Amino acid sequence: MTDLAESLERLRQRFSAQAEAAIDERELDSLRVRYLGRQGEVTQLRRGIGTLPPDQRRDAGKAINDVVAVMEGRLAAASAALQARSFETELASSIDVTFPARKARLGSVHPVRQIIERTCDYFMRHGFAVVLGPEAEPEYYNFDALNIPADHPARENFDSFWLSDGLLLRPHTSPIQVRTMQRYPPPVAIVAPGKCYRRDATDARHLFQFHQVEGLLVAEGIHFGHLKGMLEGLCRELFGRRQKVRFRPSYFPFTEPSAEVDTTCPKCSGAGAPQGTRCGMCGGSGWIELGGAGMVHPNVLREVQYDPETYSGWAFGFGAERLGLALYDVDDIRRFVTSDPDFLVALS
Amino acid sequence: MRVPISWLRVFVALPRDSSEIASRLAMLGFPVEEIERRPRISGVVGGRIVELGKHPNADRLAIARVEVGAGEPLTIATAATNVAAGQSIAVATIGAQLPALRIERRSMRGVVSEGMLISADELALPAEWFEDGILQFDSGMVPGSDVVNLFGLADDVLEVEITANRPDALSILGLARELASSYGVALDAPSARNPGEGDEAAGERPNVVLDSPDCRRFVVQRFNGVVAGTAPAWMRVRLALAGQRPINTLVDVSNYVMLETGQPLHFYDAAAIHGSLRVRDARDGERVVTLDGVERALTAQALVIADERQTLCLAGIMGASVAEVAPSTNSILVEAANFNGARVRRTSKALALRSEASTRHEKSLPLALTDFGASRAAQLLTELGATAFAPRDYGARVAPASPIVLRLGEVARVLGLTIPRERITEHLRALGCTVEAADEALSVTPPLWRRDVSAPIDLIEEIARIEGYERIEASMPPVPAHGVSSDAFDLDRRTAQTLAALGYREVITLSLHGRRRSDRVARAGLTPEAEPIEVLNPLSEEQRFLRASLLPGLLEYLSAHPGNERIFEIGQIFSRDGSELRERTVATFGFAADAAADSWRDDAFLQLKGDCEALVRRVTGHGLTVQAATVFGMHPGKSATLSIADAQAGSLGCVDPRLSNAFELARNVYLCTLDLGALPPYQPPRYRVPSKFPSTYRDLAIVVDIGVAAAAVEATVARGLAPLGTAVSAFDEYRGAQVPAGRKSLALRMTLQRFDATITDEEADAAVAAVVRALEEEFGATLRA
Ligand SMILES: [Zn+2]
């Protein structure tokens, strides 16, 4: 055995023992430098090849290359083993996934807005525009243009807050309907959501400040059946596919025929008095009232220069908070105004 | 209106089940708010006391022998004091079920009682409305007859809501007619014939002068020989079930006719009237004591009926006590008049006096009802033994309505339901219309009692009601293209959704507020910008003013909920612009935060500003310019206005700590308000392809006067670096001992890059040196050592 072979064998053995004992990648790296690096021990031996007789140089080169290959193989294997061990340790760890989550810092829109947006989305999908308008409006847009002249008994149903100069806080969003029809020629298809005010004493079912969503469709060939179809679709969208809708005759000066619109009480599913106890939401009738609707009165169409012989249409108006009571099973309508954080969080 | 089903059955055959009748009424447009269930009563029969004697063993008891039809008279012990032989009364026989007890044979002090004589209470009638003791019936009642059936005491009472357009249905007969039409059965209406005939004696003849067009028709009729005694039991029971307290024959007849027909009547004691009756405007200051005993001062707005001496009646509302019928009355004048509804409503509202009569008159009754009401009163009074003279009428004649031409195609066009001509005719006739066929149309004359039916659309509604809305099939409408825009809603909604995404929670506060808010502003030592806009008729002082800003409402909210909520509201605020009311939609958002460690460094402000920038960028596509400014209600050194695309669009800052304190807030509040109407339309951002060459950066620390704005320094740096600079941003500020007094240190990072080649260190250094010179020149800046 030559000196070189002996030296190589010694190096190899020492390297193997050290590689075996390495506990992390850093140690493996330093071994690589110590043996195979620019100043490494194996590299030093390789530099000595030049001093050998020419006939020995080939064999010496090969012997060194073999050792280098073995060492690199050892290093790779040791590295793989180390990684495998570290995965093993990592995978052996576990956490309690049922531990309470860190709460996301997400804001929310008010439940009333959610209702309005869901309603508007439904109508927008069907080609309606959504129009907003001022809250302080002249008498004309609130009453006169809607076939409710001064001294009309129906004005009592719209007990309003008056400001000076004949302005009042709108008791419904119908002024938007009038303004839209006066601004655009027929056909029109709009939804008019917004805040309204009535001089009602506040209690668990009444607010003096509330929100309405009104809708209006005027075009050729529009009839009462279309009103039913559209509102049935809305109720199913809001409450679910099994929802029923009932239209009862009623009276509003701006529509004729007029209707009150009821839908299946979501709390008792229309049973009224399940197991003999009266449902608290619908009072046992199995229905909840959504609001009014009807075919736009010809006098209203004439007022906005629409020809009632050619055009017909319908309108409806629902209270958003009223809808919210049923939709979210809320016990007291005043919660929509006090907007307590826990209420907002619960309904967001 | 309270509607005893038993009274409806007088005119129309109805199903047994009250719920069925209630839901039928609801589907005709008369919602039933309540079904008052009557208790189950059985075994009560009519009886006549044939003999009354003392109880052998008890002084307080009497023994009555009562004939109850077939069989032996019953022996009944009673403690009542209002019994006498010959009386017609009702007996609960053995086994009878009364509301509170079941009658059994029992011995009373040694005498076996075979039943019980009963009072109003035992028939579930309000005891205080009837005589104490045993209820007295009319002598005509057949002994043995079933009292519960005879008086309809088992039938429930409905509380029915009547819409303002249907004063004709504010009556038992009106609702009976609706039900008859809907069930397709006959209506057995009472005769309209007035039994009065002949002229009064010369001195007794009534005369009426109509001095106001607001009395449209006045029917007056004289009755002699009336007795204000106790009305017949059937009448008293019906009135009581309908919620009307029986008083005496005359008052009861008046109420009975009003409830049955819908026409209010007024009865005058003829002896109290001097000369002609005059319907005229009241004189300002004229005083009258009404039947409720209240003296009222009138204005010319009121319409009165007066004679030559005194005011006798507030037209359509309530009579005066001077001509009130009394037990001594033996002749009366009956008024059945028609007044202008609006005038009755205004007067009734002004006097805060509503009555059963005014609630009917204020809806403007049909003219024809006057004659019908007078006839019914005459029929009842003559049955009770009065002598009726011929009615006299004044004012407008009752003329049939003009016929309405209803094209059959219109019905289908409006309803989307084709109803055969025969069926339409049937429905309209059932409601009392006269219908004649015309070419592809019907000529329809509405009945005299329907003032609300005057156009084809009114007829279409009637047809739909009787046919039933449920028969109209639902379908989706074809929605045609139209030009209406949703821009305002879109902006409103994107603003709300973005704020929610930024962690803010939407609240809705009240638009109306009381003086408490202005008091708080005053307590903070601030002078409000303008007088608040007043509501003329608030329900409470807490609704006196219209809000001029969302700020106070949000401060109240944060004060009530001292958590870490980030909140926002979008709503209308109101101000005056000269005499014009100005209304704007604003979004205000913010939060409460603890005081900053350094007075000159405020992270809460920067956080709010960052959220504002994000919001504005999302909803407008534009950037934001913030400028120090004085804003009402805000900390003078920590508030700013903000502009977008060179237009002012809002403000932000820390709320004046004195104001927060006045709202009982322990922490500072940071709020930003955006005027949604001032925002430019959305402009999509432009994409600029980044340079392919690497960038380098340089940091610079300079010392400038405290008043120098970071934004101004940035602008100068950006100008100096162009076109090499791609970004410049101040990232730190320092004030304190390490810089001279009145000066501050600003740290800036500049990013430099070329689009055509890699920037060299020499180029970058040269650019920075130029910037340093510019800063020195413009702001007297020095490099920080
Ligand atoms: Zn229910």
Side-chain angles (χ1 to χ4, degrees), chain B residues 746-759:
Chain B
L746 269 185
L748 301 154
R749 169 157 295 187
M750 298 163 284
T751 308
L752 299 113
Q753 196 173 28
R754 284 179 59 159
F755 276 78
D756 51 352
T758 302
I759 189 166

mmCIF file with all atom_site columns, all heavy atoms in Angstrom, chain B residues 746-759:
data_model
loop_
_atom_site.group_PDB
_atom_site.id
_atom_site.type_symbol
_atom_site.label_atom_id
_atom_site.label_alt_id
_atom_site.label_comp_id
_atom_site.label_asym_id
_atom_site.label_entity_id
_atom_site.label_seq_id
_atom_site.pdbx_PDB_ins_code
_atom_site.Cartn_x
_atom_site.Cartn_y
_atom_site.Cartn_z
_atom_site.occupancy
_atom_site.B_iso_or_equiv
_atom_site.pdbx_formal_charge
_atom_site.auth_seq_id
_atom_site.auth_comp_id
_atom_site.auth_asym_id
_atom_site.auth_atom_id
_atom_site.pdbx_PDB_model_num
ATOM 1   N N   . LEU B 1 746 ? -36.355 65.389 10.704  1.00 0.00 ? 746 LEU B N   1
ATOM 2   C CA  . LEU B 1 746 ? -37.202 64.547 9.849   1.00 0.00 ? 746 LEU B CA  1
ATOM 3   C C   . LEU B 1 746 ? -36.308 63.528 9.161   1.00 0.00 ? 746 LEU B C   1
ATOM 4   O O   . LEU B 1 746 ? -35.247 63.896 8.641   1.00 0.00 ? 746 LEU B O   1
ATOM 5   C CB  . LEU B 1 746 ? -37.849 65.389 8.754   1.00 0.00 ? 746 LEU B CB  1
ATOM 6   C CG  . LEU B 1 746 ? -39.201 66.012 8.978   1.00 0.00 ? 746 LEU B CG  1
ATOM 7   C CD1 . LEU B 1 746 ? -39.654 66.682 7.688   1.00 0.00 ? 746 LEU B CD1 1
ATOM 8   C CD2 . LEU B 1 746 ? -40.228 64.964 9.407   1.00 0.00 ? 746 LEU B CD2 1
ATOM 9   N N   . ALA B 1 747 ? -36.703 62.272 9.175   1.00 0.00 ? 747 ALA B N   1
ATOM 10  C CA  . ALA B 1 747 ? -35.943 61.246 8.450   1.00 0.00 ? 747 ALA B CA  1
ATOM 11  C C   . ALA B 1 747 ? -36.724 60.876 7.202   1.00 0.00 ? 747 ALA B C   1
ATOM 12  O O   . ALA B 1 747 ? -37.930 60.661 7.253   1.00 0.00 ? 747 ALA B O   1
ATOM 13  C CB  . ALA B 1 747 ? -35.746 60.023 9.330   1.00 0.00 ? 747 ALA B CB  1
ATOM 14  N N   . LEU B 1 748 ? -36.008 60.855 6.071   1.00 0.00 ? 748 LEU B N   1
ATOM 15  C CA  . LEU B 1 748 ? -36.671 60.580 4.794   1.00 0.00 ? 748 LEU B CA  1
ATOM 16  C C   . LEU B 1 748 ? -35.989 59.415 4.109   1.00 0.00 ? 748 LEU B C   1
ATOM 17  O O   . LEU B 1 748 ? -34.758 59.266 4.211   1.00 0.00 ? 748 LEU B O   1
ATOM 18  C CB  . LEU B 1 748 ? -36.559 61.790 3.866   1.00 0.00 ? 748 LEU B CB  1
ATOM 19  C CG  . LEU B 1 748 ? -37.144 63.101 4.356   1.00 0.00 ? 748 LEU B CG  1
ATOM 20  C CD1 . LEU B 1 748 ? -36.436 64.258 3.680   1.00 0.00 ? 748 LEU B CD1 1
ATOM 21  C CD2 . LEU B 1 748 ? -38.638 63.135 4.047   1.00 0.00 ? 748 LEU B CD2 1
ATOM 22  N N   . ARG B 1 749 ? -36.749 58.590 3.424   1.00 0.00 ? 749 ARG B N   1
ATOM 23  C CA  . ARG B 1 749 ? -36.136 57.565 2.586   1.00 0.00 ? 749 ARG B CA  1
ATOM 24  C C   . ARG B 1 749 ? -36.508 57.856 1.130   1.00 0.00 ? 749 ARG B C   1
ATOM 25  O O   . ARG B 1 749 ? -37.675 58.062 0.804   1.00 0.00 ? 749 ARG B O   1
ATOM 26  C CB  . ARG B 1 749 ? -36.617 56.172 2.981   1.00 0.00 ? 749 ARG B CB  1
ATOM 27  C CG  . ARG B 1 749 ? -36.202 55.115 1.955   1.00 0.00 ? 749 ARG B CG  1
ATOM 28  C CD  . ARG B 1 749 ? -36.161 53.734 2.519   1.00 0.00 ? 749 ARG B CD  1
ATOM 29  N NE  . ARG B 1 749 ? -35.133 53.622 3.550   1.00 0.00 ? 749 ARG B NE  1
ATOM 30  C CZ  . ARG B 1 749 ? -34.799 52.457 4.124   1.00 0.00 ? 749 ARG B CZ  1
ATOM 31  N NH1 . ARG B 1 749 ? -35.427 51.344 3.770   1.00 0.00 ? 749 ARG B NH1 1
ATOM 32  N NH2 . ARG B 1 749 ? -33.872 52.411 5.050   1.00 0.00 ? 749 ARG B NH2 1
ATOM 33  N N   . MET B 1 750 ? -35.467 57.867 0.286   1.00 0.00 ? 750 MET B N   1
ATOM 34  C CA  . MET B 1 750 ? -35.680 58.133 -1.135  1.00 0.00 ? 750 MET B CA  1
ATOM 35  C C   . MET B 1 750 ? -35.318 56.893 -1.918  1.00 0.00 ? 750 MET B C   1
ATOM 36  O O   . MET B 1 750 ? -34.260 56.296 -1.674  1.00 0.00 ? 750 MET B O   1
ATOM 37  C CB  . MET B 1 750 ? -34.782 59.289 -1.579  1.00 0.00 ? 750 MET B CB  1
ATOM 38  C CG  . MET B 1 750 ? -35.105 60.584 -0.859  1.00 0.00 ? 750 MET B CG  1
ATOM 39  S SD  . MET B 1 750 ? -33.774 61.801 -1.002  1.00 0.00 ? 750 MET B SD  1
ATOM 40  C CE  . MET B 1 750 ? -32.589 61.163 0.135   1.00 0.00 ? 750 MET B CE  1
ATOM 41  N N   . THR B 1 751 ? -36.154 56.466 -2.818  1.00 0.00 ? 751 THR B N   1
ATOM 42  C CA  . THR B 1 751 ? -35.852 55.323 -3.675  1.00 0.00 ? 751 THR B CA  1
ATOM 43  C C   . THR B 1 751 ? -35.503 55.873 -5.060  1.00 0.00 ? 751 THR B C   1
ATOM 44  O O   . THR B 1 751 ? -36.237 56.701 -5.591  1.00 0.00 ? 751 THR B O   1
ATOM 45  C CB  . THR B 1 751 ? -37.065 54.386 -3.765  1.00 0.00 ? 751 THR B CB  1
ATOM 46  O OG1 . THR B 1 751 ? -37.463 54.087 -2.428  1.00 0.00 ? 751 THR B OG1 1
ATOM 47  C CG2 . THR B 1 751 ? -36.716 53.098 -4.492  1.00 0.00 ? 751 THR B CG2 1
ATOM 48  N N   . LEU B 1 752 ? -34.377 55.445 -5.603  1.00 0.00 ? 752 LEU B N   1
ATOM 49  C CA  . LEU B 1 752 ? -33.917 55.980 -6.889  1.00 0.00 ? 752 LEU B CA  1
ATOM 50  C C   . LEU B 1 752 ? -33.745 54.849 -7.887  1.00 0.00 ? 752 LEU B C   1
ATOM 51  O O   . LEU B 1 752 ? -33.291 53.762 -7.535  1.00 0.00 ? 752 LEU B O   1
ATOM 52  C CB  . LEU B 1 752 ? -32.595 56.726 -6.716  1.00 0.00 ? 752 LEU B CB  1
ATOM 53  C CG  . LEU B 1 752 ? -32.677 57.920 -5.769  1.00 0.00 ? 752 LEU B CG  1
ATOM 54  C CD1 . LEU B 1 752 ? -31.874 57.670 -4.522  1.00 0.00 ? 752 LEU B CD1 1
ATOM 55  C CD2 . LEU B 1 752 ? -32.230 59.186 -6.478  1.00 0.00 ? 752 LEU B CD2 1
ATOM 56  N N   . GLN B 1 753 ? -34.109 55.140 -9.099  1.00 0.00 ? 753 GLN B N   1
ATOM 57  C CA  . GLN B 1 753 ? -34.111 54.080 -10.112 1.00 0.00 ? 753 GLN B CA  1
ATOM 58  C C   . GLN B 1 753 ? -34.136 54.705 -11.499 1.00 0.00 ? 753 GLN B C   1
ATOM 59  O O   . GLN B 1 753 ? -34.684 55.784 -11.691 1.00 0.00 ? 753 GLN B O   1
ATOM 60  C CB  . GLN B 1 753 ? -35.383 53.247 -9.907  1.00 0.00 ? 753 GLN B CB  1
ATOM 61  C CG  . GLN B 1 753 ? -35.383 51.915 -10.589 1.00 0.00 ? 753 GLN B CG  1
ATOM 62  C CD  . GLN B 1 753 ? -36.620 51.112 -10.181 1.00 0.00 ? 753 GLN B CD  1
ATOM 63  O OE1 . GLN B 1 753 ? -37.643 51.691 -9.858  1.00 0.00 ? 753 GLN B OE1 1
ATOM 64  N NE2 . GLN B 1 753 ? -36.496 49.799 -10.206 1.00 0.00 ? 753 GLN B NE2 1
ATOM 65  N N   . ARG B 1 754 ? -33.527 54.009 -12.465 1.00 0.00 ? 754 ARG B N   1
ATOM 66  C CA  . ARG B 1 754 ? -33.613 54.472 -13.861 1.00 0.00 ? 754 ARG B CA  1
ATOM 67  C C   . ARG B 1 754 ? -34.405 53.470 -14.670 1.00 0.00 ? 754 ARG B C   1
ATOM 68  O O   . ARG B 1 754 ? -34.453 52.302 -14.345 1.00 0.00 ? 754 ARG B O   1
ATOM 69  C CB  . ARG B 1 754 ? -32.216 54.619 -14.455 1.00 0.00 ? 754 ARG B CB  1
ATOM 70  C CG  . ARG B 1 754 ? -31.496 55.867 -13.970 1.00 0.00 ? 754 ARG B CG  1
ATOM 71  C CD  . ARG B 1 754 ? -30.120 55.945 -14.562 1.00 0.00 ? 754 ARG B CD  1
ATOM 72  N NE  . ARG B 1 754 ? -30.145 55.971 -16.028 1.00 0.00 ? 754 ARG B NE  1
ATOM 73  C CZ  . ARG B 1 754 ? -29.156 56.425 -16.786 1.00 0.00 ? 754 ARG B CZ  1
ATOM 74  N NH1 . ARG B 1 754 ? -28.063 56.900 -16.197 1.00 0.00 ? 754 ARG B NH1 1
ATOM 75  N NH2 . ARG B 1 754 ? -29.223 56.403 -18.088 1.00 0.00 ? 754 ARG B NH2 1
ATOM 76  N N   . PHE B 1 755 ? -35.035 53.944 -15.709 1.00 0.00 ? 755 PHE B N   1
ATOM 77  C CA  . PHE B 1 755 ? -35.826 53.040 -16.553 1.00 0.00 ? 755 PHE B CA  1
ATOM 78  C C   . PHE B 1 755 ? -34.999 52.469 -17.710 1.00 0.00 ? 755 PHE B C   1
ATOM 79  O O   . PHE B 1 755 ? -35.409 51.525 -18.355 1.00 0.00 ? 755 PHE B O   1
ATOM 80  C CB  . PHE B 1 755 ? -37.064 53.754 -17.103 1.00 0.00 ? 755 PHE B CB  1
ATOM 81  C CG  . PHE B 1 755 ? -38.195 53.742 -16.141 1.00 0.00 ? 755 PHE B CG  1
ATOM 82  C CD1 . PHE B 1 755 ? -38.215 54.630 -15.067 1.00 0.00 ? 755 PHE B CD1 1
ATOM 83  C CD2 . PHE B 1 755 ? -39.217 52.817 -16.248 1.00 0.00 ? 755 PHE B CD2 1
ATOM 84  C CE1 . PHE B 1 755 ? -39.235 54.605 -14.152 1.00 0.00 ? 755 PHE B CE1 1
ATOM 85  C CE2 . PHE B 1 755 ? -40.244 52.790 -15.334 1.00 0.00 ? 755 PHE B CE2 1
ATOM 86  C CZ  . PHE B 1 755 ? -40.261 53.682 -14.279 1.00 0.00 ? 755 PHE B CZ  1
ATOM 87  N N   . ASP B 1 756 ? -33.822 53.093 -17.965 1.00 0.00 ? 756 ASP B N   1
ATOM 88  C CA  . ASP B 1 756 ? -33.059 52.688 -19.140 1.00 0.00 ? 756 ASP B CA  1
ATOM 89  C C   . ASP B 1 756 ? -31.752 51.999 -18.785 1.00 0.00 ? 756 ASP B C   1
ATOM 90  O O   . ASP B 1 756 ? -31.096 51.442 -19.654 1.00 0.00 ? 756 ASP B O   1
ATOM 91  C CB  . ASP B 1 756 ? -32.775 53.921 -20.010 1.00 0.00 ? 756 ASP B CB  1
ATOM 92  C CG  . ASP B 1 756 ? -32.166 55.053 -19.186 1.00 0.00 ? 756 ASP B CG  1
ATOM 93  O OD1 . ASP B 1 756 ? -32.110 54.920 -17.929 1.00 0.00 ? 756 ASP B OD1 1
ATOM 94  O OD2 . ASP B 1 756 ? -31.761 56.059 -19.785 1.00 0.00 ? 756 ASP B OD2 1
ATOM 95  N N   . ALA B 1 757 ? -31.349 52.061 -17.524 1.00 0.00 ? 757 ALA B N   1
ATOM 96  C CA  . ALA B 1 757 ? -30.076 51.443 -17.157 1.00 0.00 ? 757 ALA B CA  1
ATOM 97  C C   . ALA B 1 757 ? -30.030 51.342 -15.642 1.00 0.00 ? 757 ALA B C   1
ATOM 98  O O   . ALA B 1 757 ? -30.860 51.935 -14.949 1.00 0.00 ? 757 ALA B O   1
ATOM 99  C CB  . ALA B 1 757 ? -28.902 52.303 -17.631 1.00 0.00 ? 757 ALA B CB  1
ATOM 100 N N   . THR B 1 758 ? -29.039 50.594 -15.133 1.00 0.00 ? 758 THR B N   1
ATOM 101 C CA  . THR B 1 758 ? -28.861 50.503 -13.692 1.00 0.00 ? 758 THR B CA  1
ATOM 102 C C   . THR B 1 758 ? -28.281 51.818 -13.190 1.00 0.00 ? 758 THR B C   1
ATOM 103 O O   . THR B 1 758 ? -27.334 52.347 -13.767 1.00 0.00 ? 758 THR B O   1
ATOM 104 C CB  . THR B 1 758 ? -27.902 49.351 -13.354 1.00 0.00 ? 758 THR B CB  1
ATOM 105 O OG1 . THR B 1 758 ? -28.445 48.150 -13.888 1.00 0.00 ? 758 THR B OG1 1
ATOM 106 C CG2 . THR B 1 758 ? -27.748 49.218 -11.845 1.00 0.00 ? 758 THR B CG2 1
ATOM 107 N N   . ILE B 1 759 ? -28.896 52.360 -12.143 1.00 0.00 ? 759 ILE B N   1
ATOM 108 C CA  . ILE B 1 759 ? -28.422 53.626 -11.614 1.00 0.00 ? 759 ILE B CA  1
ATOM 109 C C   . ILE B 1 759 ? -27.078 53.411 -10.905 1.00 0.00 ? 759 ILE B C   1
ATOM 110 O O   . ILE B 1 759 ? -26.882 52.385 -10.250 1.00 0.00 ? 759 ILE B O   1
ATOM 111 C CB  . ILE B 1 759 ? -29.482 54.234 -10.671 1.00 0.00 ? 759 ILE B CB  1
ATOM 112 C CG1 . ILE B 1 759 ? -29.087 55.667 -10.281 1.00 0.00 ? 759 ILE B CG1 1
ATOM 113 C CG2 . ILE B 1 759 ? -29.668 53.392 -9.421  1.00 0.00 ? 759 ILE B CG2 1
ATOM 114 C CD1 . ILE B 1 759 ? -30.232 56.438 -9.643  1.00 0.00 ? 759 ILE B CD1 1
#
